[in-house]
Amino acid sequence: AELQTTLDIALHRHRIEKKTRESESWCRSILRSTGDAIIVTDKKGIVLLINPAAENLTGWPLDQAVGRKLDDVFKVISEDKRQPVQIPVQRIVRGESPGNPTGHAILIAKDGSERHIDDSSTALTDDDTSIIGLVIVFRDVTDKHLLAKTMLSREKIEAMRCGVIDLPVQ
């Protein structure tokens, strides 16, 4: 009877471990496949995970990003004033509103290159809805931003040609 109990426990443990490995593999596949960049931190703002899309945009490989402060890996400046934008990690993990979301911002990659991004941040919760960290999701909108600027310039030129806007005096 004791041997049977030991075998039953071992088989049960084996099934649970197999399901856990399959679940982890499935989650990794999802994170690898998504086009959005994702960074996950703990409550202190230490990077725990960065998916391939985030690696590409930030220039930080997973093995170098994990364990670093979020501000090292996710350097963001405001588009208008070009001032650093801080993700309010502590406010979010306390369950408070993050305030003004970054929205349209500029990401400074590890190599110094700049990309226009849209981003959002939210608290990461466990099964008990206890806050255990932060999730940042962002995407590159540089091409869309440049297209909008080009369209605006064309509209201004057309308005000047039609006499709707006065040409600047030099």
Side-chain angles (χ1 to χ4, degrees):
E2 191 175 312
L3 179 59
Q4 183 63 43
T5 303
T6 302
L7 285 173
D8 289 344
I9 290 171
L11 286 172
H12 181 69
R13 175 185 280 173
H14 176 73
R15 283 190 292 268
I16 289 173
E17 288 173 354
K18 183 179 177 189
K19 283 184 180 183
T20 300
R21 282 191 304 273
E22 289 170 353
S23 178
E24 288 174 352
S25 176
W26 186 70
C27 287
R28 278 193 300 276
S29 294
I30 291 170
L31 288 171
R32 265 193 319 270
S33 300
T34 185
D36 285 343
I38 300 170
I39 297 176
V40 179
T41 74
D42 66 9
K43 286 174 132 180
K44 296 178 182 174
I46 303 299
V47 175
L48 301 175
L49 181 137
I50 178 171
N51 76 341
E55 286 180 290
N56 289 336
L57 287 177
T58 64
W60 285 91
L62 175 68
D63 62 338
Q64 292 178 18
V66 170
R68 291 190 169 274
K69 290 182 179 181
L70 176 61
D71 293 342
D72 293 341
V73 176
F74 190 67
K75 292 184 181 181
V76 181
I77 60 174
S78 62
E79 187 175 354
D80 52 354
K81 297 180 183 172
R82 298 194 57 86
Q83 296 295 317
V85 175
Q86 300 296 319
I87 302 296
V89 175
Q90 293 308 314
R91 288 186 65 186
I92 293 171
V93 298
R94 285 194 306 263
E96 299 173 12
S97 167
N100 292 333
T102 315
H104 300 291
I106 298 172
L107 173 71
I108 309 295
K110 186 177 181 184
D111 67 2
S113 62
E114 298 182 0
R115 305 298 294 172
H116 289 267
I117 62 166
D118 279 342
D119 69 297
S120 64
S121 307
T122 189
L124 175 65
T125 58
D126 62 13
D127 290 340
D128 299 325
T129 67
S130 298
I131 296 173
I132 58 172
L134 175 72
V135 177
I136 300 168
V137 180
F138 55 105
R139 69 173 41 134
D140 185 348
V141 294
T142 303
D143 292 341
K144 192 177 353 177
H145 176 79
L146 293 174
L147 180 62
K149 282 181 76 172
T150 301
M151 295 300 290
L152 185 60
S153 295
R154 287 182 180 166
E155 288 173 7
K156 284 182 181 178
I157 290 169
E158 187 62 29
M160 282 187 238
R161 261 190 20 204
C162 295
V164 175
I165 298 176
D166 291 330
L167 293 171
V169 178
Q170 293 185 1

